[in-house]
Amino acid sequence: MSEQGGRSTGHEDDWWGQLYDGATEDTGSAPVPDSLDDRFDSAAGTVNETVGGPVDGPADVERSAGNSSGTPLPAPRPVPGGGTPPVRPSGPRPSGGRTPRPPEGPPPPWPPLGRTTSATGFPAPPDHAPTPVPAPDPTLTDVLADPRAPGPVQPVEPLPSPRGHVGSRPPTYDTEPTTLPAADPHELDDLVPDTVLDGARYGACTLRAASVRGDSARYRGELRRDALLTARFGSGDRALVLVAVATGVRGTPGAHRAAAEACRWIGKAVGLSHARLAEDIRAGRRGDLKSGLHRLTDRTLGRLRAGAAEQGLGPEAYAATLRCLLLPADPECRTRVFFGVGTGGLFRLRDGAWQDIEPKAAQARGGAVLGFGSPPSETPEGDRLTMDLGIPTPPSPYEPAPEPPREPFRFRTSVARRGDTLLLCSPGLADPLRGEAELGAHLATRWSRPEPPGLAAFLADTQVRVKGYADDRTAAAVWEA
């Protein structure tokens, strides 16, 4: 073909004429239809020719030894392993469905072990698959001799379900709360919830604490007089956990407020001195602990007496009992410290039996005993002293009336063992524990399990009722790992 505007060169444009010669017929559709079976047969024949054998079936085109230009086709390449694949026979093939090929004979045998197939080069499979031999059952001697063999599984006794009440007769009051306390719209912060529940795990101990309004207060719509405080001061192994339980005086309008303030003030005092207290507990300085905690407790109760004077009340009208536990977070220290003022309970569950470890109050009654702080019976000069007949002296009208005797300070340190459960509680739970043996047996069964109860289960346990005991209940239990 010449450039645009060029002249024809003659024979150079012959190919153009041959291509677009009008005498040449147009290429149309193939005379034989192209179906899915035809395409499958074509592909199957090509594959089988490669691996060394023809496949009988329909074909739509007759193979020839050469192409349309007369050039002979190249000879088929030999298959690795020996021989030249057989040439597919020429001639038309039926265009119908595929015809199954009859078996040409038994399959060739597998080569001996260690040989490889000629086509793939992979190891040949063995003449016959080996029969698996079942392992013999282990005997009792084999199991006992194997140190990794698991030991016999001990049956676990089911945990007894919590009970609604114990004793010969059910309590008089309803199980659930009945009446809410009256609320002052200007003093809503003064309301106390019916139930408080808390828990934690530090070091080697697990703590569960709950405070519940008594059945009598629930029925009469009175506020809960018990207060509960759980607090952690510090972090890590040097942390110190405080549990404080306080109970206001029955029948006084601000009993719940006095109990809450006692817990709040002792918590602040312990928190400011927690580093020194934790160090004394780990070092076992019992004397320093007792004097220091006595001073902190007196300071807290002194603030309550000052608050009573500001309100124009007597000291006994705005007071509260206060009982506390100190738990170090150090897992190597198992010393538990109890201190406080007032009645309540301190129990220890060991080996399935309850132990009442409430420290006895040492009150000085009467005069000094001879040989233990009393004055000598005579002077150094030999003069004998006048005997005191014990006649009381009338009070002077110019001196203030003496204060009522204060509750003695209680203090105790104990070293916990693995599996122990230490229980600190208010009088609402301590009294029925001492008065109803069935309640103690029920709680001992429930709390002697390897794992401590959850919060909900612990709350249900503390609410097991006994007829004749309807005061508020507050309990804090510590399980030793």
PDB file of all heavy atoms in Angstrom, residues 451-479:
ATOM      1  N   GLU A 451     -14.218 -22.237  97.627  1.00  0.00           N
ATOM      2  CA  GLU A 451     -14.322 -20.912  97.037  1.00  0.00           C
ATOM      3  C   GLU A 451     -15.308 -20.072  97.843  1.00  0.00           C
ATOM      4  O   GLU A 451     -16.353 -20.565  98.269  1.00  0.00           O
ATOM      5  CB  GLU A 451     -14.792 -20.994  95.583  1.00  0.00           C
ATOM      6  CG  GLU A 451     -13.770 -21.618  94.644  1.00  0.00           C
ATOM      7  CD  GLU A 451     -12.534 -20.761  94.500  1.00  0.00           C
ATOM      8  OE1 GLU A 451     -12.652 -19.521  94.607  1.00  0.00           O
ATOM      9  OE2 GLU A 451     -11.445 -21.325  94.289  1.00  0.00           O
ATOM     10  N   PRO A 452     -14.994 -18.800  98.056  1.00  0.00           N
ATOM     11  CA  PRO A 452     -15.941 -17.932  98.775  1.00  0.00           C
ATOM     12  C   PRO A 452     -17.193 -17.701  97.950  1.00  0.00           C
ATOM     13  O   PRO A 452     -17.166 -17.779  96.712  1.00  0.00           O
ATOM     14  CB  PRO A 452     -15.144 -16.633  98.978  1.00  0.00           C
ATOM     15  CG  PRO A 452     -14.112 -16.646  97.906  1.00  0.00           C
ATOM     16  CD  PRO A 452     -13.761 -18.078  97.671  1.00  0.00           C
ATOM     17  N   PRO A 453     -18.306 -17.392  98.590  1.00  0.00           N
ATOM     18  CA  PRO A 453     -19.545 -17.155  97.837  1.00  0.00           C
ATOM     19  C   PRO A 453     -19.475 -15.846  97.069  1.00  0.00           C
ATOM     20  O   PRO A 453     -18.695 -14.947  97.394  1.00  0.00           O
ATOM     21  CB  PRO A 453     -20.617 -17.119  98.936  1.00  0.00           C
ATOM     22  CG  PRO A 453     -19.878 -16.675 100.159  1.00  0.00           C
ATOM     23  CD  PRO A 453     -18.506 -17.264 100.049  1.00  0.00           C
ATOM     24  N   GLY A 454     -20.298 -15.745  96.063  1.00  0.00           N
ATOM     25  CA  GLY A 454     -20.405 -14.496  95.336  1.00  0.00           C
ATOM     26  C   GLY A 454     -21.168 -13.456  96.143  1.00  0.00           C
ATOM     27  O   GLY A 454     -21.659 -13.720  97.253  1.00  0.00           O
ATOM     28  N   LEU A 455     -21.273 -12.268  95.580  1.00  0.00           N
ATOM     29  CA  LEU A 455     -21.926 -11.184  96.309  1.00  0.00           C
ATOM     30  C   LEU A 455     -23.393 -11.499  96.584  1.00  0.00           C
ATOM     31  O   LEU A 455     -23.892 -11.289  97.700  1.00  0.00           O
ATOM     32  CB  LEU A 455     -21.797  -9.881  95.514  1.00  0.00           C
ATOM     33  CG  LEU A 455     -20.385  -9.293  95.391  1.00  0.00           C
ATOM     34  CD1 LEU A 455     -20.415  -8.029  94.552  1.00  0.00           C
ATOM     35  CD2 LEU A 455     -19.809  -9.002  96.770  1.00  0.00           C
ATOM     36  N   ALA A 456     -24.081 -12.011  95.567  1.00  0.00           N
ATOM     37  CA  ALA A 456     -25.507 -12.310  95.760  1.00  0.00           C
ATOM     38  C   ALA A 456     -25.704 -13.436  96.774  1.00  0.00           C
ATOM     39  O   ALA A 456     -26.610 -13.379  97.623  1.00  0.00           O
ATOM     40  CB  ALA A 456     -26.144 -12.679  94.421  1.00  0.00           C
ATOM     41  N   ALA A 457     -24.858 -14.474  96.701  1.00  0.00           N
ATOM     42  CA  ALA A 457     -24.991 -15.577  97.653  1.00  0.00           C
ATOM     43  C   ALA A 457     -24.663 -15.120  99.073  1.00  0.00           C
ATOM     44  O   ALA A 457     -25.314 -15.542 100.036  1.00  0.00           O
ATOM     45  CB  ALA A 457     -24.077 -16.726  97.234  1.00  0.00           C
ATOM     46  N   PHE A 458     -23.654 -14.249  99.211  1.00  0.00           N
ATOM     47  CA  PHE A 458     -23.317 -13.758 100.548  1.00  0.00           C
ATOM     48  C   PHE A 458     -24.452 -12.915 101.131  1.00  0.00           C
ATOM     49  O   PHE A 458     -24.766 -13.003 102.326  1.00  0.00           O
ATOM     50  CB  PHE A 458     -22.033 -12.936 100.476  1.00  0.00           C
ATOM     51  CG  PHE A 458     -21.606 -12.354 101.799  1.00  0.00           C
ATOM     52  CD1 PHE A 458     -21.020 -13.144 102.763  1.00  0.00           C
ATOM     53  CD2 PHE A 458     -21.803 -11.004 102.077  1.00  0.00           C
ATOM     54  CE1 PHE A 458     -20.630 -12.612 103.985  1.00  0.00           C
ATOM     55  CE2 PHE A 458     -21.422 -10.463 103.288  1.00  0.00           C
ATOM     56  CZ  PHE A 458     -20.833 -11.274 104.253  1.00  0.00           C
ATOM     57  N   LEU A 459     -25.067 -12.113 100.293  1.00  0.00           N
ATOM     58  CA  LEU A 459     -26.200 -11.311 100.766  1.00  0.00           C
ATOM     59  C   LEU A 459     -27.348 -12.202 101.218  1.00  0.00           C
ATOM     60  O   LEU A 459     -27.981 -11.944 102.254  1.00  0.00           O
ATOM     61  CB  LEU A 459     -26.664 -10.367  99.655  1.00  0.00           C
ATOM     62  CG  LEU A 459     -27.886  -9.504  99.961  1.00  0.00           C
ATOM     63  CD1 LEU A 459     -27.614  -8.586 101.136  1.00  0.00           C
ATOM     64  CD2 LEU A 459     -28.294  -8.697  98.725  1.00  0.00           C
ATOM     65  N   ALA A 460     -27.620 -13.271 100.470  1.00  0.00           N
ATOM     66  CA  ALA A 460     -28.687 -14.189 100.870  1.00  0.00           C
ATOM     67  C   ALA A 460     -28.357 -14.881 102.193  1.00  0.00           C
ATOM     68  O   ALA A 460     -29.247 -15.107 103.023  1.00  0.00           O
ATOM     69  CB  ALA A 460     -28.918 -15.225  99.768  1.00  0.00           C
ATOM     70  N   ASP A 461     -27.071 -15.186 102.406  1.00  0.00           N
ATOM     71  CA  ASP A 461     -26.691 -15.845 103.658  1.00  0.00           C
ATOM     72  C   ASP A 461     -26.874 -14.915 104.856  1.00  0.00           C
ATOM     73  O   ASP A 461     -27.304 -15.352 105.932  1.00  0.00           O
ATOM     74  CB  ASP A 461     -25.244 -16.317 103.578  1.00  0.00           C
ATOM     75  CG  ASP A 461     -25.058 -17.443 102.572  1.00  0.00           C
ATOM     76  OD1 ASP A 461     -26.054 -18.130 102.274  1.00  0.00           O
ATOM     77  OD2 ASP A 461     -23.930 -17.626 102.075  1.00  0.00           O
ATOM     78  N   THR A 462     -26.520 -13.666 104.693  1.00  0.00           N
ATOM     79  CA  THR A 462     -26.660 -12.737 105.817  1.00  0.00           C
ATOM     80  C   THR A 462     -28.116 -12.405 106.124  1.00  0.00           C
ATOM     81  O   THR A 462     -28.414 -11.875 107.207  1.00  0.00           O
ATOM     82  CB  THR A 462     -25.908 -11.434 105.522  1.00  0.00           C
ATOM     83  OG1 THR A 462     -26.414 -10.849 104.305  1.00  0.00           O
ATOM     84  CG2 THR A 462     -24.417 -11.689 105.371  1.00  0.00           C
ATOM     85  N   GLN A 463     -29.035 -12.723 105.233  1.00  0.00           N
ATOM     86  CA  GLN A 463     -30.444 -12.422 105.442  1.00  0.00           C
ATOM     87  C   GLN A 463     -31.244 -13.609 105.972  1.00  0.00           C
ATOM     88  O   GLN A 463     -32.472 -13.519 106.027  1.00  0.00           O
ATOM     89  CB  GLN A 463     -31.071 -11.926 104.131  1.00  0.00           C
ATOM     90  CG  GLN A 463     -30.617 -10.542 103.718  1.00  0.00           C
ATOM     91  CD  GLN A 463     -31.310 -10.073 102.444  1.00  0.00           C
ATOM     92  OE1 GLN A 463     -31.150 -10.658 101.384  1.00  0.00           O
ATOM     93  NE2 GLN A 463     -32.108  -9.025 102.566  1.00  0.00           N
ATOM     94  N   VAL A 464     -30.573 -14.706 106.311  1.00  0.00           N
ATOM     95  CA  VAL A 464     -31.297 -15.830 106.913  1.00  0.00           C
ATOM     96  C   VAL A 464     -31.842 -15.374 108.269  1.00  0.00           C
ATOM     97  O   VAL A 464     -31.095 -15.012 109.171  1.00  0.00           O
ATOM     98  CB  VAL A 464     -30.370 -17.049 107.068  1.00  0.00           C
ATOM     99  CG1 VAL A 464     -31.105 -18.186 107.770  1.00  0.00           C
ATOM    100  CG2 VAL A 464     -29.878 -17.508 105.707  1.00  0.00           C
ATOM    101  N   ARG A 465     -33.150 -15.402 108.438  1.00  0.00           N
ATOM    102  CA  ARG A 465     -33.787 -14.767 109.593  1.00  0.00           C
ATOM    103  C   ARG A 465     -34.028 -15.761 110.718  1.00  0.00           C
ATOM    104  O   ARG A 465     -34.118 -16.978 110.499  1.00  0.00           O
ATOM    105  CB  ARG A 465     -35.103 -14.126 109.162  1.00  0.00           C
ATOM    106  CG  ARG A 465     -34.927 -13.115 108.024  1.00  0.00           C
ATOM    107  CD  ARG A 465     -36.226 -12.428 107.691  1.00  0.00           C
ATOM    108  NE  ARG A 465     -37.258 -13.386 107.308  1.00  0.00           N
ATOM    109  CZ  ARG A 465     -38.573 -13.141 107.390  1.00  0.00           C
ATOM    110  NH1 ARG A 465     -38.987 -11.977 107.866  1.00  0.00           N
ATOM    111  NH2 ARG A 465     -39.446 -14.025 107.002  1.00  0.00           N
ATOM    112  N   VAL A 466     -34.118 -15.210 111.896  1.00  0.00           N
ATOM    113  CA  VAL A 466     -34.411 -15.989 113.106  1.00  0.00           C
ATOM    114  C   VAL A 466     -35.492 -15.243 113.867  1.00  0.00           C
ATOM    115  O   VAL A 466     -35.412 -14.016 114.043  1.00  0.00           O
ATOM    116  CB  VAL A 466     -33.154 -16.164 113.984  1.00  0.00           C
ATOM    117  CG1 VAL A 466     -33.472 -17.009 115.207  1.00  0.00           C
ATOM    118  CG2 VAL A 466     -32.027 -16.803 113.187  1.00  0.00           C
ATOM    119  N   LYS A 467     -36.492 -15.943 114.317  1.00  0.00           N
ATOM    120  CA  LYS A 467     -37.584 -15.302 115.040  1.00  0.00           C
ATOM    121  C   LYS A 467     -37.067 -14.701 116.344  1.00  0.00           C
ATOM    122  O   LYS A 467     -36.335 -15.331 117.106  1.00  0.00           O
ATOM    123  CB  LYS A 467     -38.692 -16.319 115.347  1.00  0.00           C
ATOM    124  CG  LYS A 467     -39.930 -15.693 115.982  1.00  0.00           C
ATOM    125  CD  LYS A 467     -41.027 -16.701 116.150  1.00  0.00           C
ATOM    126  CE  LYS A 467     -42.267 -16.061 116.781  1.00  0.00           C
ATOM    127  NZ  LYS A 467     -42.807 -14.953 115.976  1.00  0.00           N
ATOM    128  N   GLY A 468     -37.465 -13.454 116.585  1.00  0.00           N
ATOM    129  CA  GLY A 468     -37.023 -12.742 117.778  1.00  0.00           C
ATOM    130  C   GLY A 468     -35.835 -11.843 117.556  1.00  0.00           C
ATOM    131  O   GLY A 468     -35.458 -11.091 118.468  1.00  0.00           O
ATOM    132  N   TYR A 469     -35.235 -11.859 116.368  1.00  0.00           N
ATOM    133  CA  TYR A 469     -34.100 -10.997 116.036  1.00  0.00           C
ATOM    134  C   TYR A 469     -34.446 -10.233 114.760  1.00  0.00           C
ATOM    135  O   TYR A 469     -34.453 -10.807 113.661  1.00  0.00           O
ATOM    136  CB  TYR A 469     -32.829 -11.815 115.829  1.00  0.00           C
ATOM    137  CG  TYR A 469     -32.433 -12.644 117.034  1.00  0.00           C
ATOM    138  CD1 TYR A 469     -32.859 -13.967 117.151  1.00  0.00           C
ATOM    139  CD2 TYR A 469     -31.661 -12.100 118.048  1.00  0.00           C
ATOM    140  CE1 TYR A 469     -32.494 -14.724 118.247  1.00  0.00           C
ATOM    141  CE2 TYR A 469     -31.302 -12.857 119.153  1.00  0.00           C
ATOM    142  CZ  TYR A 469     -31.717 -14.170 119.244  1.00  0.00           C
ATOM    143  OH  TYR A 469     -31.356 -14.923 120.341  1.00  0.00           O
ATOM    144  N   ALA A 470     -34.771  -8.952 114.901  1.00  0.00           N
ATOM    145  CA  ALA A 470     -35.263  -8.162 113.767  1.00  0.00           C
ATOM    146  C   ALA A 470     -34.490  -6.866 113.587  1.00  0.00           C
ATOM    147  O   ALA A 470     -34.971  -5.948 112.932  1.00  0.00           O
ATOM    148  CB  ALA A 470     -36.748  -7.847 113.940  1.00  0.00           C
ATOM    149  N   ASP A 471     -33.266  -6.763 114.147  1.00  0.00           N
ATOM    150  CA  ASP A 471     -32.476  -5.540 114.003  1.00  0.00           C
ATOM    151  C   ASP A 471     -31.713  -5.540 112.683  1.00  0.00           C
ATOM    152  O   ASP A 471     -31.662  -6.540 111.956  1.00  0.00           O
ATOM    153  CB  ASP A 471     -31.493  -5.411 115.169  1.00  0.00           C
ATOM    154  CG  ASP A 471     -32.189  -5.065 116.476  1.00  0.00           C
ATOM    155  OD1 ASP A 471     -33.335  -4.588 116.409  1.00  0.00           O
ATOM    156  OD2 ASP A 471     -31.597  -5.293 117.546  1.00  0.00           O
ATOM    157  N   ASP A 472     -31.117  -4.361 112.400  1.00  0.00           N
ATOM    158  CA  ASP A 472     -30.273  -4.253 111.210  1.00  0.00           C
ATOM    159  C   ASP A 472     -29.109  -5.248 111.307  1.00  0.00           C
ATOM    160  O   ASP A 472     -28.597  -5.537 112.397  1.00  0.00           O
ATOM    161  CB  ASP A 472     -29.715  -2.833 111.072  1.00  0.00           C
ATOM    162  CG  ASP A 472     -30.817  -1.795 110.929  1.00  0.00           C
ATOM    163  OD1 ASP A 472     -31.960  -2.183 110.624  1.00  0.00           O
ATOM    164  OD2 ASP A 472     -30.529  -0.599 111.129  1.00  0.00           O
ATOM    165  N   ARG A 473     -28.695  -5.729 110.119  1.00  0.00           N
ATOM    166  CA  ARG A 473     -27.581  -6.672 110.067  1.00  0.00           C
ATOM    167  C   ARG A 473     -26.489  -6.131 109.164  1.00  0.00           C
ATOM    168  O   ARG A 473     -26.746  -5.769 108.011  1.00  0.00           O
ATOM    169  CB  ARG A 473     -28.042  -8.034 109.548  1.00  0.00           C
ATOM    170  CG  ARG A 473     -28.890  -8.819 110.519  1.00  0.00           C
ATOM    171  CD  ARG A 473     -29.153 -10.209 109.975  1.00  0.00           C
ATOM    172  NE  ARG A 473     -29.955 -11.025 110.892  1.00  0.00           N
ATOM    173  CZ  ARG A 473     -30.258 -12.296 110.673  1.00  0.00           C
ATOM    174  NH1 ARG A 473     -29.825 -12.892 109.571  1.00  0.00           N
ATOM    175  NH2 ARG A 473     -30.983 -12.954 111.547  1.00  0.00           N
ATOM    176  N   THR A 474     -25.288  -6.113 109.701  1.00  0.00           N
ATOM    177  CA  THR A 474     -24.119  -5.723 108.922  1.00  0.00           C
ATOM    178  C   THR A 474     -23.024  -6.744 109.196  1.00  0.00           C
ATOM    179  O   THR A 474     -22.730  -7.056 110.349  1.00  0.00           O
ATOM    180  CB  THR A 474     -23.634  -4.318 109.303  1.00  0.00           C
ATOM    181  OG1 THR A 474     -24.706  -3.379 109.098  1.00  0.00           O
ATOM    182  CG2 THR A 474     -22.449  -3.906 108.446  1.00  0.00           C
ATOM    183  N   ALA A 475     -22.446  -7.264 108.120  1.00  0.00           N
ATOM    184  CA  ALA A 475     -21.431  -8.302 108.238  1.00  0.00           C
ATOM    185  C   ALA A 475     -20.344  -8.072 107.213  1.00  0.00           C
ATOM    186  O   ALA A 475     -20.614  -7.677 106.074  1.00  0.00           O
ATOM    187  CB  ALA A 475     -22.052  -9.698 108.041  1.00  0.00           C
ATOM    188  N   ALA A 476     -19.109  -8.352 107.613  1.00  0.00           N
ATOM    189  CA  ALA A 476     -17.938  -8.327 106.726  1.00  0.00           C
ATOM    190  C   ALA A 476     -17.157  -9.605 106.988  1.00  0.00           C
ATOM    191  O   ALA A 476     -16.683  -9.840 108.089  1.00  0.00           O
ATOM    192  CB  ALA A 476     -17.080  -7.093 106.979  1.00  0.00           C
ATOM    193  N   ALA A 477     -17.030 -10.446 105.957  1.00  0.00           N
ATOM    194  CA  ALA A 477     -16.351 -11.732 106.071  1.00  0.00           C
ATOM    195  C   ALA A 477     -15.121 -11.732 105.177  1.00  0.00           C
ATOM    196  O   ALA A 477     -15.145 -11.186 104.071  1.00  0.00           O
ATOM    197  CB  ALA A 477     -17.281 -12.879 105.703  1.00  0.00           C
ATOM    198  N   VAL A 478     -14.048 -12.353 105.673  1.00  0.00           N
ATOM    199  CA  VAL A 478     -12.777 -12.416 104.973  1.00  0.00           C
ATOM    200  C   VAL A 478     -12.404 -13.887 104.818  1.00  0.00           C
ATOM    201  O   VAL A 478     -12.240 -14.593 105.821  1.00  0.00           O
ATOM    202  CB  VAL A 478     -11.671 -11.652 105.711  1.00  0.00           C
ATOM    203  CG1 VAL A 478     -10.358 -11.735 104.934  1.00  0.00           C
ATOM    204  CG2 VAL A 478     -12.073 -10.205 105.930  1.00  0.00           C
ATOM    205  N   TRP A 479     -12.291 -14.356 103.572  1.00  0.00           N
ATOM    206  CA  TRP A 479     -11.885 -15.728 103.274  1.00  0.00           C
ATOM    207  C   TRP A 479     -10.400 -15.741 102.950  1.00  0.00           C
ATOM    208  O   TRP A 479      -9.922 -14.968 102.114  1.00  0.00           O
ATOM    209  CB  TRP A 479     -12.668 -16.277 102.091  1.00  0.00           C
ATOM    210  CG  TRP A 479     -14.007 -16.833 102.438  1.00  0.00           C
ATOM    211  CD1 TRP A 479     -14.345 -18.128 102.661  1.00  0.00           C
ATOM    212  CD2 TRP A 479     -15.231 -16.082 102.607  1.00  0.00           C
ATOM    213  NE1 TRP A 479     -15.679 -18.246 102.960  1.00  0.00           N
ATOM    214  CE2 TRP A 479     -16.239 -16.997 102.931  1.00  0.00           C
ATOM    215  CE3 TRP A 479     -15.546 -14.733 102.525  1.00  0.00           C
ATOM    216  CZ2 TRP A 479     -17.553 -16.616 103.167  1.00  0.00           C
ATOM    217  CZ3 TRP A 479     -16.857 -14.339 102.759  1.00  0.00           C
ATOM    218  CH2 TRP A 479     -17.845 -15.278 103.073  1.00  0.00           C
TER     219      TRP A 479
END
